[in-house]
């Protein structure tokens, strides 16, 4: 649950910094107050230059946009986040956390001790298997994002992965759709995250696709 009625959404994208300020309406909806964007250029996708580039872009957007609130929810770019959907066999509820921890150790491509990771149980299959979303990001990446935001005076509330934020935004705005919907997050890094969702709003997959291949397919 959001702790402040007015808040910022900050998307630290690979190629563009995006900020939007929202107000929570009395009926439970959201009202967009103002927004701003700033291209990051090539430096935005280069790890050595990214932190300073983000700091500069954030300062410029804030100076130009007239943003007032200092409560922020931030999104990390997909290329910095590991996510995977896994299915677990039917087990006693007391053992679920232990099994998910084992799955994380087997699937996350870097040591868990150096990682901020979490999971969400999305649902259960007809055969009783648990559908689980694993998400992990290196702790030093999180610290840099926090440092960039806190250096501009923001209070952190929520940190999310861009793919999950995209899916949540779609669900919020369009609700349950008939059939299958495909969300495509096109980024300047050499991968594009694709997230499909079933009619019960459960994401089915997040698949990296080479950006040039996708671009060529869309142009046909």
């Amino acid at each position: 649950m959001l702790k402040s009625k007015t808040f910022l959404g900050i998307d630290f994208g690979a190629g563009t910094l995006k900020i939007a300020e929202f107000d929570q309406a009395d009926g439970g909806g959201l009202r967009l107050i103002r927004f701003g964007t700033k291209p990051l250029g090539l430096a935005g996708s280069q790890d050595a230059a990214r932190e300073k580039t983000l700091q500069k872009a954030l300062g410029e957007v804030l100076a130009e946009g007239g943003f007032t609130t200092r409560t922020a929810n931030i999104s990390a770019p997909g290329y910095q986040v590991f996510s995977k959907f896994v299915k677990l066999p039917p087990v006693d509820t007391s053992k679920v956390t232990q099994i998910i921890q084992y799955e994380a150790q087997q699937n996350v491509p870097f040591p868990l001790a150096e990682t901020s990771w979490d999971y969400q149980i999305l649902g259960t299959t007809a055969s009783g298997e648990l559908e689980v979303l694993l998400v992990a990001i290196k702790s030093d990446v999180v610290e840099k994002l926090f440092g960039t935001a806190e250096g501009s005076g923001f209070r952190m509330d929520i940190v999310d992965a861009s793919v999950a934020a995209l899916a949540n935004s779609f669900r919020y705005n369009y609700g349950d759709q008939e059939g299958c919907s495909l969300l495509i997050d096109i980024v300047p890094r050499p991968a594009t995250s694709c997230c499909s969702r079933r009619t019960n709003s459960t994401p089915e997959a997040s698949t990296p696709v080479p950006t040039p291949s996708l671009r060529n397919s869309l142009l046909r």
Side-chain angles (χ1 to χ4, degrees), residues 88-100 121 128 130:
L88 307 180
V91 294
D92 186 90
T93 54
S94 63
K95 298 182 179 180
V96 169
T97 300
Q98 179 181 351
I99 292 178
I100 293 176
I121 298 176
L130 292 179

Side-chain angles (χ1 to χ4, degrees), residues 121-214:
I121 298 176
L122 301 172
T124 306
T125 67
S127 60
E129 293 178 307
L130 292 179
E131 297 177 315
V132 178
L133 170 63
L134 286 176
V135 179
I137 183 171
K138 287 187 176 181
S139 298
D140 62 332
V141 173
V142 175
E143 291 172 0
K144 289 178 180 178
L145 291 177
F146 267 62
T148 298
E150 291 175 344
S152 296
F154 291 114
R155 299 183 300 275
M156 299 298 100
D157 194 358
I158 297 173
V159 180
D160 206 348
S162 61
V163 172
L166 177 64
N168 288 335
S169 176
F170 180 87
R171 292 172 60 184
Y172 179 86
N173 285 284
Y174 300 103
D176 289 335
Q177 300 290 305
E178 293 296 328
C180 179
S181 300
L182 179 66
L183 309 181
I184 304 179
D185 183 14
I186 301 177
V187 296
R189 299 282 288 202
T192 297
S193 298
C194 303
C195 180
S196 63
R197 53 188 294 280
R198 298 194 295 265
T199 49
N200 65 0
S201 297
T202 300
E204 285 187 324
S206 174
T207 308
V209 178
T211 301
S213 299
L214 180 65

Side-chain angles (χ1 to χ4, degrees), residues 50-61:
R50 179 172 169 78
E51 187 173 6
K52 289 184 178 180
T53 302
L54 284 174
Q55 291 173 343
K56 181 175 182 294
L58 184 58
E60 292 175 351
V61 173

Side-chain angles (χ1 to χ4, degrees), residues 27-44:
L30 295 177
R31 180 174 67 94
L32 176 63
I33 301 174
R34 57 182 62 85
F35 70 93
T37 64
K38 181 69 65 172
L40 301 177
L42 182 61

Side-chain angles (χ1 to χ4, degrees), residues 36-133:
T37 64
K38 181 69 65 172
L40 301 177
L42 182 61
S45 59
Q46 296 176 338
D47 292 338
R50 179 172 169 78
E51 187 173 6
K52 289 184 178 180
T53 302
L54 284 174
Q55 291 173 343
K56 181 175 182 294
L58 184 58
E60 292 175 351
V61 173
L62 293 176
E64 297 167 1
F67 298 94
T68 57
T69 185
R70 282 297 180 264
T71 298
N73 306 309
I74 65 176
S75 172
Y79 82 92
Q80 291 184 324
V81 178
F82 170 82
S83 61
K84 185 173 183 179
F85 294 90
V86 297
K87 291 184 179 181
L88 307 180
V91 294
D92 186 90
T93 54
S94 63
K95 298 182 179 180
V96 169
T97 300
Q98 179 181 351
I99 292 178
I100 293 176
Q101 170 107 18
Y102 173 79
E103 288 291 333
Q105 291 172 339
Q106 298 300 309
N107 288 281
V108 175
F110 22 83
L112 293 188
E114 303 172 5
T115 303
S116 297
W117 71 279
D118 204 349
Y119 68 90
Q120 181 176 350
I121 298 176
L122 301 172
T124 306
T125 67
S127 60
E129 293 178 307
L130 292 179
E131 297 177 315
V132 178
L133 170 63

